[in-house]
Amino acid sequence: MDTALHLDPLGVRLLEAAAEVFTEFGYDGAKVAEISRRAGVTTGAIYSRYRGKADLMAAALEHSLADEIERLLPEAPEGGAALLSSLGTHLTDDRDASEWLLLEAMVASRRDPELAETIRGRFNEDNLRIGKILQQAKDDGHIDRNLSIDSLAIFCTALGLGMRTQQLLQLTPPDADEWETVIALLLAAVRPQPHTTGGPS
């Protein structure tokens, strides 16, 4: 579901109120009545747009979380390899309160099958988009042709989730220069390896 596009001012206000309430009270404790009160709308206005709380949570999450890939695209004009480097080094950027909404959605999805399906859909879409970028980098000769694009995409997503969790727990972040070195080494590891030729010495 693409809730980030074509939102009217009321829709934006509603989703911002929903994100605020879900973050403050959790998914189970959040009440549609409280969301409608903060947004200045009736509960009927909410249900005319969303099927229920799971649908509203998914929409609020989609609206609140910046699309990191799109945000970083202008910083990587050279294509896939440069974008991967940019994404890797920006994993240590400070996050905002919307990250708590993501964590709450993931926890709540264990108890709500509808929400779980929506969250899976979001991450599957992210994996597909990352996979396309990786495939382009592979086609351009920046990634070893023997490596699985699906596995690399999942690795990227897992790395991002791990860093988000670390930041939410306020664990000590890595040194920026040392982190860039690690990312550079990881990128070097997936590049095509030179073939050695020659007979026995």
Side-chain angles (χ1 to χ4, degrees):
M1 176 191 308
D2 190 355
T3 60
L5 297 177
H6 311 304
L7 278 177
D8 55 26
L10 174 60
V12 171
R13 191 165 75 247
L14 195 160
L15 292 183
E16 288 177 349
E20 184 179 280
V21 173
F22 282 128
T23 301
E24 186 174 340
F25 294 101
Y27 179 73
D28 292 333
K31 305 296 183 187
V32 173
E34 176 62 15
I35 294 172
S36 66
R37 185 189 70 78
R38 296 194 188 189
V41 301
T42 64
T43 55
I46 293 178
Y47 287 116
S48 69
R49 294 172 180 243
Y50 303 100
R51 296 187 303 272
K53 198 159 71 167
D55 196 27
L56 181 57
M57 163 66 100
L61 180 64
E62 188 71 29
H63 177 69
S64 297
L65 287 177
D67 189 329
E68 295 176 6
I69 297 175
E70 289 290 348
R71 180 166 54 85
L72 293 174
L73 276 173
E75 301 182 27
E78 298 173 20
L83 177 55
L84 288 178
S85 178
S86 182
L87 285 170
T89 55
H90 280 75
L91 283 173
T92 56
D93 289 350
D94 290 336
R95 309 287 178 164
D96 56 30
S98 64
E99 298 299 338
W100 286 108
L101 183 63
L102 172 62
L103 182 62
E104 177 60 34
M106 293 172 66
V107 172
S109 68
R110 295 187 60 192
R111 303 183 296 273
D112 190 310
E114 182 183 357
L115 181 59
E117 183 64 27
T118 303
I119 297 300
R120 278 195 296 271
R122 173 184 170 81
F123 281 107
N124 283 335
E125 288 178 4
D126 285 350
N127 280 340
L128 285 173
R129 296 193 64 207
I130 293 172
K132 289 180 180 179
I133 294 168
L134 290 168
Q135 186 62 57
Q136 184 60 57
K138 189 175 187 178
D139 293 343
D140 292 341
H142 299 299
I143 292 178
D144 193 294
R145 61 184 178 85
N146 295 312
L147 293 177
S148 164
I149 292 300
D150 289 341
S151 294
L152 284 175
I154 292 172
F155 173 79
C156 290
T157 300
L159 184 61
L161 286 173
M163 185 59 72
R164 281 171 167 164
T165 302
Q166 167 139 339
Q167 291 164 334
L168 286 171
L169 294 175
Q170 297 184 337
L171 301 177
T172 303
D175 175 82
D177 291 336
E178 293 175 356
W179 181 254
E180 287 190 18
T181 299
V182 169
I183 294 299
L185 289 172
L186 286 173
L187 288 173
V190 302
R191 291 192 186 107
Q193 301 302 309
H195 298 287
T196 57
T197 58
S201 55

